[in-house]
Amino acid sequence: MAVDGDEALLERVLRVYKPHCRYLESATVTAGGDPADEGGQVGVRGRFHIPESCYIDDTGHFNAVEFNICYNQMIYLLMAESVEQRLMRSFAGWSLDDFWARQLADMFIVDFHSSFRRHMRGRRFWGELDVVEAFEGDWGSGPFLFLRTTCRFGEADEPAAHGKVLVAVKAAAGADDLSAATA
């Protein structure tokens, strides 16, 4: 299943960013089953444009800060689409209003690895992100949903940068079992 990007949803997801840092221009979300089920995967492929760096003079290349910003924009869109389209049972009890209220305060990167295999200018490029595993666990302050993800960025056919990121999403108050809901 592929969901072509909903422009209004993308605009709303990116609203939390300063206007000059809204790099994700368009995206398609795909679902081949729930990542909580063996063999399932939910992903997103996006097109990006970074006209100029938001924090430093032009370095001439795609860097770790831009990698992180682009990753964040894709994971937020993927989660919003997962809520709206019911792509993952882990978000089955959520409404979009729940997502908007929790987008910044209750979502955390807990482990982040990126590698750059070759130079990439990083002005117009593509990015892909896949949720390869979804599981529940405790992160010291209560129950969390964890999303194990992989991502890639490139200008040509082959990716120039790769990453593995673990995201934690705080469970709603009173949620004992995040996987109890079904899609």
Side-chain angles (χ1 to χ4, degrees):
M1 172 183 161
V3 179
D4 282 331
D6 175 339
E7 287 183 31
L9 185 64
L10 176 59
E11 182 178 320
R12 179 73 193 270
V13 163
L14 298 180
R15 193 177 292 168
V16 298
Y17 290 87
K18 306 282 185 196
H20 64 281
C21 294
R22 296 175 184 164
Y23 300 151
L24 183 57
E25 293 186 313
S26 64
T28 300
V29 173
T30 57
D34 195 311
D37 299 329
E38 191 163 325
Q41 193 169 45
V42 176
V44 60
R45 180 174 174 102
R47 300 291 311 164
F48 292 88
H49 179 222
I50 302 177
E52 64 180 341
S53 177
C54 69
Y55 74 100
I56 195 170
D57 287 341
D58 190 2
T59 62
H61 59 84
F62 185 65
N63 61 50
V65 172
E66 293 161 343
F67 185 114
N68 194 309
I69 292 169
C70 293
Y71 173 87
N72 287 350
Q73 291 178 7
M74 283 195 300
I75 193 70
Y76 285 149
L77 179 64
L78 182 106
M79 286 192 280
E81 284 281 5
S82 291
V83 169
E84 185 177 65
Q85 301 294 328
R86 301 291 183 223
L87 301 178
M88 294 174 56
R89 73 169 174 256
S90 300
F91 293 112
W94 288 44
S95 69
L96 277 176
D97 286 339
D98 295 328
F99 176 82
W100 305 131
R102 300 172 68 196
Q103 182 179 4
L104 295 178
D106 292 338
M107 299 176 188
F108 309 90
I109 290 178
V110 297
D111 194 19
F112 185 93
H113 297 274
S114 60
S115 63
F116 298 82
R117 305 298 167 103
R118 67 178 164 282
H119 176 269
M120 183 175 115
R121 175 78 180 123
R123 291 298 169 244
R124 291 200 174 272
F125 59 97
W126 57 266
E128 294 177 333
L129 183 152
D130 296 310
V131 177
V132 295
E133 183 180 15
F135 60 95
E136 298 92 29
D138 190 80
W139 193 40
S141 60
F144 279 80
L145 166 66
F146 291 91
L147 302 176
R148 189 173 315 282
T149 67
T150 61
C151 63
R152 297 149 300 289
F153 296 99
E155 294 169 314
D157 291 339
E158 293 294 317
H162 299 261
K164 292 182 179 183
V165 182
L166 180 64
V167 174
V169 181
K170 190 172 185 180
D176 293 326
D177 181 7
L178 296 168
S179 64
T182 58

